[in-house]
């Protein structure tokens, strides 16, 4: 008997323990079913699961009346403008014409001054280039030049300045004098002074001649004439001179 009581007591304790462990789950299940039942009631669903649907009735009249359409004339009505609109239009036309005339006048003044000056300068530049390109290319080695010689003269009497009319030639080469000095000044169409740097060997021959640039000279051809004349120049031989002695020859051209 006591053993049975102990058994039942242990069984009750076990159920109580299980109940305590699952009380929240049981309560949650009950609450869920209560809410589900309430939802069925609100949605008007019966216990069997049949949904009650309300019938929607739409009544159509036997004859649908057509909308009345006012007859409009297919011909376009002439646009009637008031005197005020006509005045505004005339004012706008006058304003546009005035603005156009002012713009044209300003453009004409611009073209008459700045643009035309630039255009004239550009045309002159093109003309100068075309004239330069149209010049016949001359082989300088074929050009004949008069030559100033000092044959039979006393070396002490020879000067380094040679005059040919209004033009002159001056050379600078220490302790040397010319034997043959070509004169190119008569070939020039334009004028100016050209200096040619030269190198002379001990035998008196010019081994190098380079004309210095001179921006004041317009006829660039005279630079080539001066350089060719310098390269043809012959000085006296001097075994004591440097192997490549530096000097210069200055040519003054007078415009023809």
């Amino acid at each position: 008997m006591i053993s049975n009581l102990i058994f039942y007591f242990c069984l009750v304790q076990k159920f109580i323990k299980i109940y305590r462990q699952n009380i929240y789950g049981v309560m949650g299940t009950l609450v869920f079913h209560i809410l589900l039942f309430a939802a069925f009631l609100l949605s008007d669903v019966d216990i069997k699961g049949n949904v009650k649907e309300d019938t929607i009735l739409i009544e159509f009249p036997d004859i649908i009346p057509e909308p009345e359409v006012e007859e409009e004339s297919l011909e376009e009505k002439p646009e009637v403008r008031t005197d005020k609109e006509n005045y505004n239009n005339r004012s706008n036309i006058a304003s546009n014409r005035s603005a156009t005339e002012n713009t044209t006048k300003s453009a004409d003044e611009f073209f008459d001054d700045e643009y035309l000056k630039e255009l004239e300068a550009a045309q002159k530049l093109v003309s100068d280039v075309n004239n330069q390109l149209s010049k016949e290319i001359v082989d300088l080695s074929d050009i004949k030049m008069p030559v100033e010689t000092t044959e039979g003269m006393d070396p002490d009497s020879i000067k380094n300045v040679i005059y040919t009319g209004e033009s002159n030639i001056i050379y600078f080469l220490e302790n040397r004098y010319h034997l043959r000095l070509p004169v190119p000044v008569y070939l020039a169409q334009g004028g100016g002074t050209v200096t040619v740097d030269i190198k002379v060997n001990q035998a008196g021959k010019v081994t190098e001649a380079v004309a210095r640039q001179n921006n004041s000279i317009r006829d660039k051809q005279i630079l080539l004439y001066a350089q060719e004349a310098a390269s043809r120049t012959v000085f006296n031989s001097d075994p004591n001179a440097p192997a490549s002695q530096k000097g210069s020859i200055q040519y003054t051209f007078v415009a023809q």
Side-chain angles (χ1 to χ4, degrees), residues 108-127:
D108 291 341
E109 291 178 354
F110 172 76
F111 284 114
D112 288 343
D113 297 334
E114 300 297 333
Y115 179 77
L116 293 181
K117 289 180 181 179
E118 294 180 1
L119 181 61
E120 184 179 356
Q123 290 175 344
K124 185 177 184 302
L125 178 61
V126 172
S127 178

Side-chain angles (χ1 to χ4, degrees), residues 144-192:
K144 295 182 180 180
M145 302 180 188
V147 179
E148 180 76 20
T149 64
T150 60
E151 184 178 356
M153 295 179 60
D154 183 4
D156 294 335
S157 64
I158 299 174
K159 298 181 180 180
N160 67 331
V161 180
I162 293 88
Y163 290 93
T164 56
E166 297 180 357
S167 302
N168 63 68
I169 301 173
I170 304 174
Y171 63 84
F172 305 91
L173 191 63
E174 188 176 1
N175 297 325
R176 308 289 284 271
Y177 58 90
H178 71 279
L179 298 179
R180 295 175 54 84
L181 186 65
V183 181
V185 290
Y186 78 99
L187 297 172
Q189 295 294 326

Side-chain angles (χ1 to χ4, degrees), residues 9-58:
F9 180 78
C10 291
L11 185 61
V12 171
Q13 291 291 330
K14 188 174 182 179
F15 276 112
I16 293 172
K17 184 178 181 180
I18 293 173
Y19 172 77
R20 288 178 178 178
Q21 290 178 350
N22 296 279
I23 186 171
Y24 296 106
V26 173
M27 293 179 66
T29 303
L30 291 175
V31 172
F32 172 76
H33 283 84
I34 292 172
L35 293 176
L36 182 62
F37 182 75
F40 277 116
L41 291 177
L42 293 175
S43 61
D44 199 14
V45 178
D46 58 8
I47 301 301
K48 294 181 181 180
N50 297 324
V51 179
K52 296 181 179 180
E53 297 181 355
D54 295 334
T55 303
I56 300 175
L57 298 177
I58 301 176

Side-chain angles (χ1 to χ4, degrees), residues 91-109 111:
S91 299
N92 291 336
I93 294 173
S95 299
N96 293 335
R97 184 182 296 110
S98 177
T100 303
E101 291 177 353
N102 291 335
T103 303
T104 305
K105 184 177 180 181
S106 300
D108 291 341
E109 291 178 354
F111 284 114

